[in-house]
Each structure stands twice: as structure tokens, then as C-alpha cells.
Amino acid sequence: MDSIGFTVRYGRQLVPIGGPDAETGYRLVGRDKDGEIECTLVVNEQTGALSYDFHRDIERGTELTFRCDFRETDTTVQSCYLDNRLGVWNALRLCETLQDGIVAFSCWEEHGGGSVAYLARYIYETYGVRQALISDITWVTEGVRPGEGVAISLRDSLIPRRSYVERIRRIAREAGIPHQLEVEGSGGSDAKELQHGAQPWDWCFIGAPEDNVHSPDEIVDKRDIDSMLALYQVLMREL
Amino acid sequence: MDSIGFTVRYGRQLVPIGGPDAETGYRLVGRDKDGEIECTLVVNEQTGALSYDFHRDIERGTELTFRCDFRETDTTVQSCYLDNRLGVWNALRLCETLQDGIVAFSCWEEHGGGSVAYLARYIYETYGVRQALISDITWVTEGVRPGEGVAISLRDSLIPRRSYVERIRRIAREAGIPHQLEVEGSGGSDAKELQHGAQPWDWCFIGAPEDNVHSPDEIVDKRDIDSMLALYQVLMREL
Amino acid sequence: MDSIGFTVRYGRQLVPIGGPDAETGYRLVGRDKDGEIECTLVVNEQTGALSYDFHRDIERGTELTFRCDFRETDTTVQSCYLDNRLGVWNALRLCETLQDGIVAFSCWEEHGGGSVAYLARYIYETYGVRQALISDITWVTEGVRPGEGVAISLRDSLIPRRSYVERIRRIAREAGIPHQLEVEGSGGSDAKELQHGAQPWDWCFIGAPEDNVHSPDEIVDKRDIDSMLALYQVLMREL
């Protein structure tokens, strides 16, 4: 639901969708009126301008995404778009055991958002629910390490309500679920639309960390996926 | 409704309203407590600082706009503020033939917006309408040429719903109306407020391209104005 | 309600909350699981990176704020966070004489906002009120001087409705309350959320100017505080 990539502009120019990592040689796929496309990303070393290498011209406005090369080991999964396919996977797995709660899938988070405002209002006004968890993937940093558990974000460019985050941390500790605390000064998530909307939502970002962010080689430690799902299961019961 | 320009600050300083082109010598007009003003824009070559040249001081907070020098040839119109007086003109001309539909005029698009959120909610909740066309003017670029027809924007900083844009393109093709496809990585329009609001609007930017953007010399090809109006007429019937 | 400051990140790193002034030596206070904290801000001269100097590590996610050193003379008050404790003080003092009107306290203005959208909708829909004054503190500049009266902002990054600001200016003149007119090209206030929301609010920023902005040494002239309160008292009667 949340693929980043590129749009074909004029000539062989590309413009990014969201913030994809760009390196010459990345394989891109898509489809236009002349059929299936598998081409190569080219980054101009001087200007940074983006283009593609292909045997024919691609129709203006065509969307290209990373070709998926899914790799799995005993301890990791690796692919493009784990951010945020893993968040979606987590939400779907959660449905297997969920008793009370709403699982909402939002679009366009990597490209300016726009669906959460509607969802937030609809859910609040229809069901009176106003506690949210953001099931998305975060970044491995010097303070958030692969294999050490799902990350609970204490802040990014926005700051969630302290009392809500404290309740989440207490539930995680009491359940004995491995987790890490993330503190960033920038970045954001769909929580931005909850924070800025006209309904009084509490929110907290909770997600496994990945490395090689927004590249075809995103990689996540399976232990962090396990603790992510386990934490969501307990939080959806106890929050 | 959408004039850009300058506000008089302290001393003879000016601060921009929206993103006006600024060149020393542009004629600016306005009015303050001491009467009518016609002065000259001065751009400091070193610092880029904006000021005015006039025989007296102008009252703090006064708004200055480009002096209008309307020029018409057989094939073009040229003036300041074609962006977005032509969009307004298109909407007014559309009213002459419109059977079903709403023509809404929104303010402040060049300076942060703020009226579309209200209009979008009111129209959606009162009439159930949720398909929008943005009647505004775009830019001549390497891919969008004067005289080749109204531009249908496939994206700018935001991306409209593909199925909605595909319907619009099909209607334009079947009606035989000249048009061009625009693909940009930046820029935006009032569509931003539709995208980010709490109602599920579909939207698409459709407008003639202009050259000499945001200057006193904006120029548009009459053929593109004609195809803009023709496309709006058919779309308001068939969408 | 509106303290800016720092969040403890990893190691001894700090990330800012809002836009605090940062100088090595500023005293910061806070509290974590190990107790009360009073430490010193350290700014890396090469990189600008922020950290703290303290006898022990501080818990990740802890919030640190400027230590308050309140100073008062016959003509000034000086402290951290006059922006926006003085705005809150003005609103509370206003309550002593207010007959008709709503005093609403909003949060997070210095860090991305998020409470005004809710308040704006609730107040508009419940009470039909749609005229707002933003009781906040502004900056001493070349055009707004300490001691010359409360500032009425004609614009910052946004522009309020001219007719509303004109009414306010007329009331201020007729009441003989000292005031100054502010014109800025950037900056903003909680008015942004009023402007961008789905209710048709008019708004105007009115506040005393301060110097040493966002530092522990913010200073305001008492005459400007007096004229701020006086202007709010008359406006809440006459608007």
C-alpha cells in the first residue's frame, strides 16, 4: 500500500514518489500501454538527476517501483518495501487474535498523506475510539539496534502524549516483551495526521527497525518482527 | 482573487505575498491613507532584499500588486495575474452552459491557502459531491508547450487517484479535445487541501500553461484557453 | 504550557523541542527515574551538535527545559518562557473582567501544534464563535520596539482578513491604547490551525514584543504587557 518509487516525466527523466534511495543499477519495474517494463535506474553523478535505461521510451506518467528480490534467512527477511509491508503484515496477523479493536489501512504516507484525516474522523465519530498505534517500520540507528526488539518511539518530529506512551511502556515491561526506546528529532508517520486533525487522538509509533532504508535491500531481524506482533497483541487487549 | 505581490514592511522594505517574480523596475500599484500609489520595485543585487522607489513613504502593511498591462494578440493574451484570473474566467464561462455541478471560488492559494478546507467540507456534507477539478493555470515546461492544448496534471508534489485521472483522460480523448499530460515533482494547488482534508475527495488539476510565470508579463496561448474551457464543459457533463 | 527545550536522545545527545536558543552553559532542569536533574547545555562548536554535561547519564527520552531565573525591575520582566507564559497570564487576567467570550488554552504551538484544530471545531460548532485573538508573544525587531505598546500583527507567514484587522486597529485607536503594527514575512502562531481548518475563523495575533527570544533571558517591557491586557479587555467587549 505504501510503495515508493519514481514517475516517468519527459524524455527519460524520472521524478521520485516519496523518498526512495537512488543508485545507478537498481532494477525498476512497471507497466505502460506498450506492456511490461523492467528497466534500470540511472543517477547522473554530477547533477543527481534521475533517468532510466530501457530499450524503448516509457509512457509519460508511468509509475516505476523497485523490482522485488525477496530474501529470507533463519534470522532476517530482506526485500524492498518491508517499510511498510511488514506494518501491514503485522496488522493482518493481529486480526487472527483481535477481540476488540479496529485495524485501519491508510494510504500515501510516503507521499504527503491524505487518507488518515478521513479515517480518523470516521472512526472517532462512529465508534468513539481515540487511541491509536501506528504499525509502521522505523530505522536502525546508533540507539535502535537490530535484534533488540520492536521500537517504541518516544518522539520524532512530533511528540506523543507522555501519559499514553508511559502506559504503553508499562504494559510492554509487564508483559516481558523485548523492546527499545527510540528518540528522533526528525521524521514522521501517519501520526502527523492524527495529531493535526480535529479529533483528540492519542497515538504512538511502534515498529520494528530496518536497515538499508527505502532501498531494494531493506532488511529486518525476525526477532524484532516477533516482538512487534507480540506487543501489538497485548496492547490491543490492555490499552 | 489570487493576486500575488508585496507588503510594505518597515522603512522601505517589502516582503512578498506568495511567490512573485521580482525584478528592479517592475511597476507596483496600491493605496494607503495618503492616496493612490504607483511606485517601482527595487531588488538589491547583493542581498536580494526588496524595496520600493516612491516620492513618499508608504504606510506600513500596505499591499502592492503588479500594475496591469493587458496585451492581446490574435494568438495570445498577456498580463499579470493570468494565473489565476484565467482559471476564474474559465469557471465563469463554464457557468453559461453548466447543467449540474458546483463552481466554487477559493482564496489565498498563493499564500498558504485556508478556504478550501471549509468549502470542501461544506460541499461534501451538503451536496454529497466529491469529485473536483482544479481550474488553475500551470507552467510552460520542456514537456508542456504553448498551443498544444490544456494540461492535465498526472502529478505535482501530490499524486491524484489514478482511476479518476484515467477517466478524465479517456473523456478528453473521446471528445477529441487537444490536451497535454503534465508530470512534475514539485508544486501544488488547492488540491492539497482536498487531499489532506477529512472528506474523501477525488481531484485533478486541469489548466492552460503560461510562460513568464508570476511576473507582470504572464502569457497564454488562446488555443490552450479554448481547449481548457471545452474540456471543462465536457467533463462537467460526463464525469 | 508552551515550554521549549530538549529531549535526551542516545548517549549524551540532545534533540530540540521547538526552536530553543542554544548556547554552551545554559542551565537545564528535568527529572528522570533516578531523580531531579540540573545539568549544563553543551553546543559543539564545529558541528552544532547538542549534548549535556552532568555527573551521570540521563534516561533516554527525558525532557529538559531552561532553569527559570525570574528577574524583575521597575520597567521589565525577564525569564525563560515569557513566550508564552505572558500570553497565558494575559488570558488569565482577562478572565477577571471578561463578560462574554471564551478563553481557550492551546498546546504544542512551538512543536508542530495539534490542539487548535480540535478547539476551533468544538468552539465553532458548540457556540458559533468565529472571531479569534491569538494571545502570544512576538519579537522585538527594527520595526517593533520595546515600550511602544502591544504589537498588532498585520501578517507573518500568513495574512489575516483585512477587514477584521482594520476593525481591531480602529478599536485600539479609539480606545487610545498604545500599540505598534507588525509586518513579517515569516513566522507563525496558532492562527495557522485556524486558517487551515474547516471552520471560517477570523483571527489576529496581538502580543507584546520580547527580546532575547527563546533563550533563558527573554525580556519584556512592562508597558507592553499593560497595553496588551488593556487592548484585550476592550476588544473582548467591542469586537
Side-chain angles (χ1 to χ4, degrees):
Chain A
M1 298 184 66
D2 212 17
S3 296
I4 55 179
F6 306 90
T7 312
V8 176
R9 193 172 177 250
Y10 315 133
R12 299 209 152 193
Q13 299 170 38
L14 298 176
V15 287
I17 302 169
D21 186 52
E23 276 186 30
T24 294
Y26 281 171
R27 302 296 293 165
L28 304 177
V29 296
R31 162 178 260 284
D32 69 3
K33 65 176 166 31
D34 296 323
E36 299 295 326
I37 298 154
E38 179 166 342
C39 63
T40 306
L41 178 63
V42 178
V43 185
N44 185 302
E45 283 181 24
Q46 268 73 52
T47 64
L50 304 170
S51 61
Y52 63 85
D53 185 18
F54 195 46
H55 64 80
R56 63 169 172 89
D57 282 347
I58 302 175
E59 192 183 13
R60 188 179 289 192
T62 301
E63 289 169 3
L64 302 173
T65 54
F66 293 132
R67 190 182 58 146
C68 184
D69 176 19
F70 189 86
R71 288 147 281 175
E72 186 174 0
T73 70
D74 287 349
T75 57
T76 62
V77 289
Q78 184 166 27
S79 168
C80 56
Y81 306 133
L82 293 181
D83 172 11
N84 188 22
R85 290 184 187 177
L86 267 177
V88 171
W89 179 91
N90 179 66
L92 291 171
R93 289 295 310 275
L94 187 59
C95 293
E96 299 174 357
T97 57
L98 185 64
Q99 296 291 319
D100 297 295
I102 293 169
V103 175
F105 297 94
S106 55
C107 304
W108 314 312
E109 189 266 324
E110 298 287 355
H111 197 79
S115 66
V116 172
Y118 174 81
L119 292 167
R121 185 179 171 200
Y122 181 82
I123 292 171
Y124 176 74
E125 295 191 349
T126 310
Y127 303 104
V129 171
R130 58 190 184 88
Q131 295 185 124
L133 304 173
I134 309 295
S135 176
D136 202 344
I137 296 299
T138 188
W139 301 11
V140 167
T141 61
E142 61 197 295
V144 174
R145 308 305 308 165
E148 301 189 4
V150 60
I152 299 173
S153 172
L154 304 187
R155 62 165 289 184
D156 48 34
S157 64
L158 294 178
I159 303 176
R161 188 186 302 277
R162 174 180 289 274
S163 59
Y164 185 63
V165 176
E166 292 299 331
R167 281 177 62 210
I168 288 169
R169 292 175 62 181
R170 191 171 55 244
I171 293 169
R173 273 195 311 270
E174 289 172 1
I177 295 168
H179 62 277
Q180 310 178 65
L181 301 178
E182 181 182 72
V183 179
E184 293 296 332
S186 59
S189 71
D190 271 334
K192 271 186 284 198
E193 292 192 64
L194 292 177
Q195 174 71 13
H196 290 133
Q199 297 79 36
W201 282 89
D202 276 332
W203 53 268
C204 183
F205 180 107
I206 301 177
E210 73 171 20
D211 215 342
N212 307 326
V213 173
H214 287 190
S215 83
D217 304 309
E218 297 180 3
I219 187 165
V220 180
D221 190 296
K222 285 180 175 179
R223 290 170 292 181
D224 300 331
I225 303 172
D226 290 342
S227 62
M228 182 176 178
L229 180 56
L231 183 54
Y232 272 84
Q233 286 170 335
V234 66
L235 285 171
M236 290 301 279
R237 277 197 309 270
E238 301 194 13
L239 260 183
Chain B
M1 298 185 65
D2 212 17
S3 296
I4 55 179
F6 306 89
T7 312
V8 176
R9 194 173 178 250
Y10 315 133
R12 299 209 152 192
Q13 299 170 37
L14 298 176
V15 287
I17 302 168
D21 185 50
E23 275 185 32
T24 294
Y26 282 171
R27 302 297 292 166
L28 304 178
V29 296
R31 162 179 262 283
D32 69 3
K33 65 175 164 33
D34 296 322
E36 298 295 326
I37 299 154
E38 180 166 342
C39 63
T40 306
L41 179 64
V42 178
V43 184
N44 184 302
E45 283 182 23
Q46 267 74 53
T47 64
L50 304 171
S51 60
Y52 63 85
D53 185 19
F54 195 45
H55 64 79
R56 63 168 173 87
D57 282 348
I58 302 175
E59 192 182 14
R60 189 179 288 194
T62 302
E63 289 170 3
L64 301 173
T65 54
F66 293 133
R67 190 182 56 144
C68 184
D69 175 20
F70 189 86
R71 288 148 280 175
E72 185 172 1
T73 70
D74 286 350
T75 57
T76 62
V77 290
Q78 184 166 26
S79 167
C80 56
Y81 306 134
L82 293 181
D83 172 10
N84 188 26
R85 291 186 186 176
L86 267 177
V88 171
W89 178 91
N90 179 67
L92 291 171
R93 288 296 309 274
L94 187 59
C95 294
E96 299 174 358
T97 58
L98 185 64
Q99 294 292 318
D100 297 295
I102 292 169
V103 174
F105 297 94
S106 54
C107 303
W108 314 311
E109 189 265 324
E110 298 288 355
H111 196 81
S115 66
V116 172
Y118 173 82
L119 292 166
R121 184 180 172 200
Y122 181 82
I123 292 171
Y124 177 74
E125 295 191 348
T126 310
Y127 302 104
V129 171
R130 59 191 182 88
Q131 295 184 123
L133 304 173
I134 309 296
S135 176
D136 201 345
I137 296 299
T138 188
W139 301 10
V140 167
T141 62
E142 60 197 295
V144 174
R145 308 304 309 165
E148 301 190 2
V150 61
I152 299 173
S153 172
L154 303 187
R155 62 165 288 183
D156 48 33
S157 64
L158 295 177
I159 303 176
R161 188 186 303 277
R162 174 181 289 274
S163 60
Y164 185 64
V165 176
E166 292 299 332
R167 281 178 62 211
I168 288 169
R169 291 175 62 181
R170 191 170 56 245
I171 293 169
R173 272 196 311 270
E174 290 172 359
I177 295 168
H179 63 277
Q180 311 178 67
L181 301 178
E182 181 182 72
V183 179
E184 293 296 333
S186 59
S189 70
D190 271 334
K192 271 186 284 196
E193 292 191 65
L194 292 178
Q195 174 72 13
H196 291 133
Q199 297 79 37
W201 282 89
D202 276 332
W203 53 268
C204 182
F205 180 107
I206 300 177
E210 73 170 21
D211 216 342
N212 306 327
V213 173
H214 287 189
S215 82
D217 304 309
E218 297 181 2
I219 186 165
V220 181
D221 190 296
K222 286 180 175 178
R223 290 169 292 182
D224 299 332
I225 303 172
D226 290 342
S227 62
M228 182 175 178
L229 179 56
L231 183 53
Y232 273 86
Q233 286 171 335
V234 66
L235 286 171
M236 291 300 280
R237 278 198 308 272
E238 301 194 12
L239 261 182
Chain C
M1 298 184 64
D2 212 17
S3 296
I4 54 178
F6 307 89
T7 312
V8 177
R9 194 172 177 250
Y10 316 132
R12 298 209 153 193
Q13 298 170 39
L14 298 176
V15 287
I17 301 169
D21 186 51
E23 276 186 32
T24 294
Y26 282 171
R27 302 296 293 167
L28 304 177
V29 296
R31 162 178 261 285
D32 69 3
K33 63 174 166 37
D34 296 322
E36 298 295 327
I37 298 154
E38 181 168 340
C39 63
T40 305
L41 178 63
V42 178
V43 185
N44 184 302
E45 282 181 24
Q46 267 74 54
T47 64
L50 304 171
S51 61
Y52 62 86
D53 184 19
F54 195 45
H55 64 80
R56 63 169 173 87
D57 282 348
I58 302 175
E59 191 181 16
R60 189 178 288 193
T62 302
E63 289 170 3
L64 301 173
T65 54
F66 293 132
R67 190 183 56 146
C68 184
D69 175 18
F70 189 86
R71 288 148 280 175
E72 186 173 0
T73 70
D74 286 349
T75 57
T76 62
V77 291
Q78 184 166 26
S79 168
C80 56
Y81 306 133
L82 292 182
D83 173 10
N84 188 25
R85 290 184 187 178
L86 267 177
V88 172
W89 178 91
N90 179 66
L92 291 171
R93 288 295 310 274
L94 187 58
C95 294
E96 298 174 358
T97 57
L98 185 64
Q99 295 292 319
D100 297 294
I102 293 169
V103 174
F105 297 94
S106 54
C107 303
W108 314 311
E109 189 265 324
E110 298 287 354
H111 197 81
S115 66
V116 172
Y118 174 81
L119 292 167
R121 185 180 172 199
Y122 181 81
I123 292 171
Y124 177 74
E125 296 191 348
T126 310
Y127 302 103
V129 171
R130 59 190 182 88
Q131 295 185 125
L133 303 174
I134 309 296
S135 176
D136 201 345
I137 295 300
T138 188
W139 300 10
V140 167
T141 61
E142 61 197 295
V144 174
R145 309 304 309 165
E148 300 190 3
V150 60
I152 299 173
S153 172
L154 304 187
R155 62 165 290 182
D156 47 35
S157 64
L158 295 178
I159 302 177
R161 187 185 304 277
R162 174 180 288 275
S163 59
Y164 185 63
V165 176
E166 292 298 331
R167 280 177 62 209
I168 287 169
R169 291 175 62 182
R170 192 171 54 245
I171 293 168
R173 273 197 310 270
E174 289 172 1
I177 295 168
H179 62 278
Q180 311 177 66
L181 300 177
E182 181 182 72
V183 179
E184 293 296 332
S186 59
S189 70
D190 271 334
K192 271 187 284 198
E193 292 192 65
L194 292 178
Q195 174 72 12
H196 290 132
Q199 296 79 37
W201 282 89
D202 276 332
W203 53 267
C204 183
F205 181 106
I206 300 177
E210 73 170 21
D211 216 342
N212 306 327
V213 174
H214 286 190
S215 82
D217 303 309
E218 297 181 2
I219 186 165
V220 181
D221 190 296
K222 285 180 175 178
R223 290 170 292 182
D224 300 332
I225 304 172
D226 290 342
S227 61
M228 182 176 178
L229 179 56
L231 183 53
Y232 273 84
Q233 286 171 335
V234 67
L235 286 171
M236 291 301 279
R237 277 198 308 271
E238 302 194 11
L239 261 182

